[in-house]
């Protein structure tokens, strides 16, 4: 079992920055593919960014060049640095973990979510 706890959300003006953190329990964190998802009111949850156990990353087109995903295996933590935030980035952001290919199969573990609100 892996427990994930997100932090770092909040209210920020458009153009501002936030860094989300996701702390994971367990001794096998380094073997997991980690991801950040988000869900805005009235919309489906969408994949924002992923990072594999070997550090390969993926970003959805709308955040490329603005968001950076990273991981610190010594701290069992994955981060999402969000710059140049836009009102359309407003959502609840979730951290998730799985083994292997981020685009194949279910994500096994989820955090509780952290709210990000970007004002115009």
């Amino acid at each position: 079992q892996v427990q994930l706890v997100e932090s770092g959300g909040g209210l920020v003006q458009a153009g501002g920055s936030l860094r989300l953190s996701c702390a994971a329990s367990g001794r096998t964190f380094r073997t997991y593919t980690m991801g950040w998802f988000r869900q805005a009111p009235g919309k489906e949850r969408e994949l924002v960014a992923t990072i594999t156990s070997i550090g390969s990353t993926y970003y959805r087109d709308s955040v490329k060049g603005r968001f950076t995903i990273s991981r610190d295996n010594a701290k069992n933590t994955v981060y999402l640095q969000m710059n140049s935030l836009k009102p359309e980035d407003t959502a609840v952001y979730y951290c998730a973990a799985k083994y292997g290919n981020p685009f194949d199969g279910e994500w096994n573990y989820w955090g509780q979510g952290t709210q990000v609100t970007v004002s115009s």
Side-chain angles (χ1 to χ4, degrees):
Q1 277 284 7
V2 175
Q3 291 186 319
L4 303 173
V5 179
E6 302 99 334
S7 60
L11 173 64
V12 64
Q13 288 189 331
S17 298
L18 284 174
R19 188 176 81 156
L20 306 183
S21 299
C22 172
S25 64
R27 293 177 289 180
T28 58
F29 173 78
R30 63 179 64 247
T31 65
Y32 283 95
T33 290
M34 301 300 297
W36 287 97
F37 291 75
R38 67 186 180 187
Q39 187 167 21
K43 295 188 177 181
E44 292 191 354
R45 187 172 58 198
E46 61 184 22
L47 179 61
V48 177
T50 67
I51 185 166
T52 68
S53 60
I54 60 171
S56 298
T57 58
Y58 158 84
Y59 299 94
R60 70 180 302 107
D61 285 347
S62 60
V63 307
K64 283 181 181 177
R66 299 190 297 122
F67 290 12
T68 302
I69 189 170
S70 62
R71 65 191 298 160
D72 185 337
N73 290 334
K75 295 183 178 180
N76 278 18
T77 301
V78 63
Y79 304 98
L80 186 68
Q81 178 67 44
M82 305 185 295
N83 299 328
S84 302
L85 282 161
K86 303 176 181 180
E88 51 264 43
D89 295 317
T90 295
V92 177
Y93 283 71
Y94 297 90
C95 174
K98 71 183 303 290
Y99 283 116
N101 188 329
F103 309 110
D104 181 19
E106 298 287 327
W107 288 78
N108 305 101
Y109 305 103
W110 293 86
Q112 82 288 351
T114 186
Q115 176 71 46
V116 171
T117 303
V118 184
S119 64
S120 56

